[in-house]
C-alpha cells in the first residue's frame, strides 16, 4: 500500500488537532505549544498549513525520498523519530489515515517511544495534570482507562466536532514556523524505511470475485420509489 | 516450516470468537507447513480449562501469562517474551480492536512486518502470503514478509472456526516482566454496556440507522419501519451513532459490535464503512437508502435507493403496513 499520500489533511486528523486545542483552551493541561507533524512528499505541506490554520503553533514536515513507500512499521518508526526530538507530553493521532486505513500507526509510535497508548479514544479528561482518563469502545463495550502522561492517544471521530479555520487563520498559516527535516536530521536509519526495506511487502494483487451489481433507484417521485421497493421486497417474500 | 503464535483474547471466562477463528487458521497453516500452532493468553488467574480448550481448535500448546486484561501493551510484552525463545515465525490475530493494537506494537518491538485487515492467508514456497482487500474492497493486495517472519491481523470474521484439534492443549505458564510503560495504563471500567439491552442477533429483519438520521430522534423513523415489519424485526446502528449516544451499544453492528446475517438488512443514512460492512455483509438481502450516489454501501447492496431517508422512510413504513394489512 502506498502510504506516501497525505496530500490534504486527513479529515480524521482534524479531530486530533481539535482535541489538542480543547485541552489547551480549557487549561486542563498546561500546553506550551501544539506541534503538527506529517511525513509525506512535498504536497504534505498543504496538510500542515491546514493543521496550523486549525490552531497548531508550528509544524514539522518529514520529507525524504528514502521514505517513499514505507509500510506501517516504517511509517510509525519514522514518525517516532521526529516525535522523540520534540519531547512531547502527549502525542495525538487520528483514528485512521485516509490512504492507509490501518488504525495502527499510533500503536507502532507508542512502542518506539515507550509510552502507554490507546486507540479509538472518544473521551479524554485530564486528572491532576499528569494522568488522562480515556474512554473508548473495544470488543466488549466501552472501556475507561487511566493513562499516565506522556502518552500516545489516537482519537476516534466521535471525540469532538472540529472547528472551521477562520479566514484570518488560513491567511496566517503560511507565516507559522514550518521545519522541514530529512531522515538524517532526526536519526532515522534509512535501512528501516522506504518501499525497498518494507518488512511487509506488497508482492501482487488480484481482483475479488465479481459480484452482480445491485439495482439502483434514484428517488424522484417518492410514492413511485416506495412502490418499487415494496415490489422488490414482496418478490423476495420479505414482507 | 512455519511455527505460529496466536493471541487469544478472552473476557469473562470465554475466548473471543474471532480469536478461535485465528487459532483454527493458525493450526491449519502450521499443519500445511509442518509447523506448530501455539496460543497465548494474558489475564488474571486464567483457568486451566479455558487455556487447554484452545486445543480443540488446533493449538498444540497454550502459553499463559499472568497480567492485566483488556490492554494491548502488556500483551505485546508477553508475546515478545514468548518470541524470545526463537520458536516462532508468525504471529496471528483475529479481527476486533485489541489485536490491531497488539499486533502493531509487537511489529515495532520485534522489528518485523505487519499486515492488517487480512481476509485470507496462503502459502507460497513455504512462506505465508497475506491477502488484504484495498480501495474499498475493489482489489486484493498480496503481502509477503521480509525474512519470512511477520504479523498477520485478520479482518473481523475472516477466519473460519474449525475444531481440528485432538483435545485439550498442554498449558505452560509464561513469566513476563512487564515494561514500565505497559503498566502506565490501567483499566478502570471494562466492557460497559451503554444504553439498554436490545437483541439484534435474533432478528430476521434489521432496520439499521447511521449518522444520516441527523439526531437521536431520527431513530424513530427506523423504529416505525421495524414495527411495520412486525415481530422478528429490530433496529440496529453504526458505531458513529452509538458513540454519539443516539443508540445503545448492544444494537451496534461491525468490527467492535455484533455480527448479523438477517434475511433483510435495510440501511438508512449509513455510508458503508468497511468496519460496518464486516458485521453485516452476509445478510441475505441488503437494501440501502443514502442521499449520496457515491456512498460505498451501494457497492454491496442488492437494492440501493439514492434519496433522502426523511422522505422515503415514512412512506415506506406506511406502504409496508398497508401490504401487511392487505
Ligand atoms: C477500529 C475501528 C472500529 C470500528 N468499528 C465499527 C463498528 O463496529 N461498527 C461501525 O458501524 N463502525 C465502526 N467503525 C467506524 C466506521 O469506520 C465508520 O466511521 C462508521 O461506520 C460510519 O457510520 P455512519 O455510516 O453512520 O456515518 P457516516 O459515515 O458519516 O455516513 C452517514 C451517511 O448518511 C448519508 N446521509 C446523510 N443524510 C442523509 C439523508 N437525509 N438521507 C439519506 N442519507 C443521508 C450520508 O450520505 C452518509 O453516507 C470503526 C472504525 C474503526 C477505526
Ligand atoms: N504519514 C503520516 N504522517 C503523519 N501522521 C500519520 C501518517 N500516517 C498516519 N498518521 C497518523 O496515524 C493515524 C492512523 O493512521 P493509520 O494507522 O495509517 O490508519 C492517522 O490518523 C494519523 O494521525
Amino acid at each position: 500500500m502506498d502510504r506516501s499520500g497525505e496530500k490534504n489533511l486527513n479529515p480524521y486528523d482534524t479531530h486530533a488537532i481539535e482535541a489538542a486545542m480543547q485541552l489547551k483552551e480549557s487549561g486542563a493541561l498546561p500546553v506550551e505549544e501544539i506541534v503538527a507533524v506529517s511525513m509525506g512528499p512535498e504536497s504534505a505541506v498543504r496538510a500542515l498549513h491546514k493543521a496550523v490554520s486549525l490552531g497548531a503553533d508550528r509544524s514539522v514536515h518529514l520529507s525524504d525520498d528514502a521514505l517513499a513507500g514505507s509500510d506501517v512499521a516504517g511509517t510509525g518508526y519514522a514518525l517516532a523519530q521526529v516525535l522523540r526530538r520534540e519531547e512531547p507530553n502527549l502525542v495525538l493521532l487520528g483514528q485512521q489515515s485516509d490512504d492507509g486505513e490501518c488504525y495502527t500507526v499510533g500503536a507502532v509510535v507508542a512502542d518506539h517511544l515507550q509510552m502507554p497508548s490507546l486507540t479509538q479514544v472518544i473521551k479524554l479528561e485530564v486528572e491532576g495534570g499528569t494522568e488522562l482518563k480515556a474512554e473508548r469502545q473495544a470488543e466488549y463495550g466501552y472501556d475507561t482507562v487511566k493513562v499516565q502522561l506522556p502518552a500516545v492517544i489516537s482519537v476516534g471521530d466521535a471525540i469532538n466536532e472540529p472547528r472551521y479555520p477562520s479566514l484570518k487563520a488560513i491567511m496566517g498559516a503560511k507565516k507559522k514556523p514550518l521545519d522541514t527535516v530529512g531522515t538524517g536530521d532526526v536519526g532515522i536509519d534509512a535501512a528501516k524505511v522506504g518501499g525497498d526495506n518494507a518488512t511487509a511487502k506488497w508482492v501482487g494483487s488480484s481482483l475479488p470475485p465479481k459480484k452482480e451489481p445491485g439495482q439502483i433507484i434514484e428517488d424522484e417521485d417518492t410514492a413511485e420509489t416506495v412502490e418499487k421497493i415494496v415490489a422488490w421486497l414482496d418478490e423476495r417474500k420479505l414482507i | 516450516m512455519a511455527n505460529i503464535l496466536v493471541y487469544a483474547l478472552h473476557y469473562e471466562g470465554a475466548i473471543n470468537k474471532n480469536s478461535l477463528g485465528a487459532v483454527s487458521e493458525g493450526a491449519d497453516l502450521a499443519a500445511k507447513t509442518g509447523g506448530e500452532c501455539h496460543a497465548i493468553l494474558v489475564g488474571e488467574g486464567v483457568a486451566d480449562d479455558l487455556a487447554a480448550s484452545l486445543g480443540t481448535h488446533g493449538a498444540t500448546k497454550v502459553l499463559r501469562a499472568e497480567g492485566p486484561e483488556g490492554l494491548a501493551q502488556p500483551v505485546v510484552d508477553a508475546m515478545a517474551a514468548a518470541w524470545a525463545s526463537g520458536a516462532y515465525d508468525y504471529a496471528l490475530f483475529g479481527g476486533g480492536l485489541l489485536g490491531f493494537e497488539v499486533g502493531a506494537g509487537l511489529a515495532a518491538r520485534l522489528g518485523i512486518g505487519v499486515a492488517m485487515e487480512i481476509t485470507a492467508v496462503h502459502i507460497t514456497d513455504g512462506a505465508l502470503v497475506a491477502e488484504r482487500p484495498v480501495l474499498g474492497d475493489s482489489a486484493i493486495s498480496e503481502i509477503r514478509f521480509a525474512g519470512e517472519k511477520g504479523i498477520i491481523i485478520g479482518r473481523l470474521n475472516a477466519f473460519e472456526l474449525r475444531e481440528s484439534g485432538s483435545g485439550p492443549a498442554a498449558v505452560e505458564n509464561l513469566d513476563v516482566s512487564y515494561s514500565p510503560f505497559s503498566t502506565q495504563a490501567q483499566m478502570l471500567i471494562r466492557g460497559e454496556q451503554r444504553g439498554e439491552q436490545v437483541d439484534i442477533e435474533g432478528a430476521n429483519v434489521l432496520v439499521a440507522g447511521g449518522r444520516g438520521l441527523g439526531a437521536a430522534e431520527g431513530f424513530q423513523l427506523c423504529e416505525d419501519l421495524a414495527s411495520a415489519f412486525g415481530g422478528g424485526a429490530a433496529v440496529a446502528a453504526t458505531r458513529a451513532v452509538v458513540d454519539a449516544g443516539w443508540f445503545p451499544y448492544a444494537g451496534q453492528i461491525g468490527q467492535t459490535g455484533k455480527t448479523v446475517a438477517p434475511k433483510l438488512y435495510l440501511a438508512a443514512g449509513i455510508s458503508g464503512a468497511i468496519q460496518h460492512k464486516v458485521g453485516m455483509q452476509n445478510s441475505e438481502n441488503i437494501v440501502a437508502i443514502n442521499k449520496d450516489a457515491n456512498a460505498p454501501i451501494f457497492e454491496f447492496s442488492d437494492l440501493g435507493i439514492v434519496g433522502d431517508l426523511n422522505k422515503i422512510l415514512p412512506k415506506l413504513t406506511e406502504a409496508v403496513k398497508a401490504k401487511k394489512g392487505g
Side-chain angles (χ1 to χ4, degrees):
Chain A
M1 182 98 247
D2 179 13
R3 299 189 46 88
S4 60
E6 218 84 355
K7 276 141 200 109
N8 277 307
L9 185 62
N10 168 14
Y12 292 108
D13 291 352
T14 60
H15 296 274
I17 295 167
E18 180 63 30
M21 289 300 287
Q22 289 186 11
L23 287 172
K24 183 181 180 180
E25 289 168 350
S26 69
L29 201 65
V31 177
E32 211 173 288
E33 58 171 354
I34 297 171
V35 183
V37 174
S38 182
M39 162 178 152
E42 212 156 310
S43 51
V45 165
R46 249 190 298 160
L48 289 170
H49 283 154
K50 176 88 188 282
V52 294
S53 77
L54 288 167
D57 298 293
R58 61 183 175 87
S59 57
V60 182
H61 179 201
L62 172 62
S63 181
D64 202 311
D65 290 343
L67 296 165
S70 293
D71 60 4
V72 192
T75 303
Y77 159 70
L79 284 171
Q81 287 301 98
V82 181
L83 292 163
R84 198 186 298 281
R85 201 179 65 145
E86 300 290 338
E87 297 182 14
N89 296 97
L90 176 60
V91 178
L92 291 167
L93 299 96
Q95 79 174 36
Q96 65 197 82
S97 57
D98 46 7
D99 53 350
E101 287 199 275
C102 303
Y103 17 101
T104 44
V105 165
V108 175
V109 166
D111 200 77
H112 285 296
L113 295 180
Q114 307 217 315
M115 290 182 187
S117 171
L118 282 180
T119 66
Q120 310 301 325
V121 168
I122 58 157
K123 194 167 174 208
L124 204 53
E125 277 171 26
V126 182
E127 304 219 310
T130 57
E131 262 175 15
L132 300 172
K133 209 165 99 183
E135 297 179 16
R136 57 99 167 253
Q137 190 193 93
E139 283 92 342
Y140 297 102
Y142 286 88
D143 295 345
T144 304
V145 184
K146 197 165 82 175
V147 185
Q148 265 172 50
L149 291 169
V152 179
I153 303 287
S154 306
V155 302
D157 67 350
I159 194 168
N160 54 39
E161 197 58 61
R163 67 194 70 185
Y164 289 101
S166 68
L167 194 59
K168 192 166 150 248
I170 295 171
M171 304 298 286
K174 289 191 175 130
K175 295 201 195 82
K176 288 195 186 173
L178 186 152
D179 187 10
T180 305
V181 297
T183 50
D185 303 313
V186 289
I188 292 171
D189 178 354
K192 289 187 183 171
V193 295
D196 290 344
N197 301 319
T199 45
K201 236 193 199 90
W202 184 86
V203 290
S205 68
S206 58
L207 290 175
K210 195 118 186 89
K211 190 179 168 268
E212 281 301 306
Q215 187 184 332
I216 294 283
I217 304 172
E218 304 264 353
D219 177 40
E220 275 151 16
D221 175 339
T222 303
E224 207 177 288
T225 302
V226 163
E227 232 171 79
K228 284 185 198 157
I229 302 172
V230 171
W232 191 93
L233 294 171
D234 197 32
E235 223 172 89
R236 289 161 184 76
K237 303 198 170 23
L238 294 168
I239 300 190
Chain B
M1 193 181 74
N3 287 323
I4 300 175
L5 182 62
V6 184
Y7 169 56
L9 170 66
H10 69 102
Y11 182 56
E12 293 185 334
I15 311 272
N16 185 279
K17 186 173 152 276
N18 271 273
S19 292
L20 295 178
V23 172
S24 309
E25 180 76 12
D28 183 51
L29 292 165
K32 283 179 181 153
T33 63
E36 277 191 44
C37 172
H38 297 172
I40 183 165
L41 280 158
V42 178
E44 290 145 21
V46 174
D48 287 338
D49 287 3
L50 186 70
S53 72
L54 289 163
T56 315
H57 297 279
T60 50
K61 184 159 68 173
V62 176
L63 304 174
R64 173 174 57 186
E66 189 66 26
E69 294 184 6
L71 295 168
Q73 289 166 309
V75 183
V76 174
D77 289 340
M79 292 184 78
W83 204 273
S85 67
Y88 301 108
D89 306 296
Y90 297 93
L92 190 63
F93 298 83
L97 179 66
L98 225 53
F100 279 76
E101 296 179 329
V102 178
L106 187 63
R109 187 78 59 88
L110 302 176
I112 63 177
V114 57
M116 59 284 300
E117 288 282 350
I118 301 308
T119 49
V121 183
H122 61 258
I123 300 162
T124 306
D125 314 328
L128 303 197
V129 177
E131 296 181 7
R132 176 182 179 170
V134 291
L135 307 171
D137 292 356
S138 63
I140 296 172
S141 66
E142 288 171 15
I143 299 160
R144 202 167 158 158
F145 300 95
E148 298 186 1
K149 293 207 186 296
I151 293 169
I152 296 171
I153 307 170
R155 178 177 275 192
L156 193 81
N157 303 322
F159 303 135
E160 208 182 304
L161 254 74
R162 277 182 294 247
E163 300 199 351
S164 59
S166 50
V171 180
E172 198 175 282
N173 290 324
L174 178 73
D175 260 334
V176 183
S177 56
Y178 292 101
S179 323
F181 64 94
S182 296
T183 49
Q184 281 167 0
Q186 203 189 324
M187 185 68 73
L188 300 177
I189 304 167
R190 185 171 180 207
E192 189 189 336
Q193 299 299 300
R194 296 194 174 159
E196 58 192 293
Q197 277 308 316
V198 290
D199 175 22
I200 62 168
E201 286 160 304
N204 53 35
V205 174
L206 281 177
V207 180
R211 217 180 244 148
L213 292 174
E217 294 69 43
F219 267 96
Q220 193 56 48
L221 296 173
C222 296
E223 298 285 357
D224 291 346
L225 180 56
S227 324
F229 275 105
V235 176
T238 63
R239 188 184 79 169
V241 293
V242 171
D243 273 347
W246 299 358
F247 201 76
Y249 170 69
Q252 180 184 312
I253 294 171
Q255 186 166 339
T256 47
K258 303 259 159 60
T259 296
V260 295
K263 269 192 157 47
L264 172 63
Y265 162 99
L266 192 148
I270 292 178
S271 60
I274 300 293
Q275 299 86 355
H276 184 75
K277 180 183 174 184
V278 292
M280 48 61 65
Q281 61 189 349
N282 289 328
S283 302
E284 277 175 46
N285 294 280
I286 299 172
V287 178
I289 304 173
N290 195 305
K291 67 177 183 188
D292 175 8
N294 296 318
I297 195 153
F298 291 133
E299 301 292 327
F300 53 94
S301 298
D302 301 302
L303 177 64
I305 296 104
V306 183
D308 185 349
L309 65 90
N310 295 302
K311 277 174 32 194
I312 297 162
L313 286 182
K315 288 210 167 82
L316 182 57
T317 299
E318 288 315 310
V320 171
K321 264 193 212 154
K323 185 89 199 164
K324 284 260 179 196

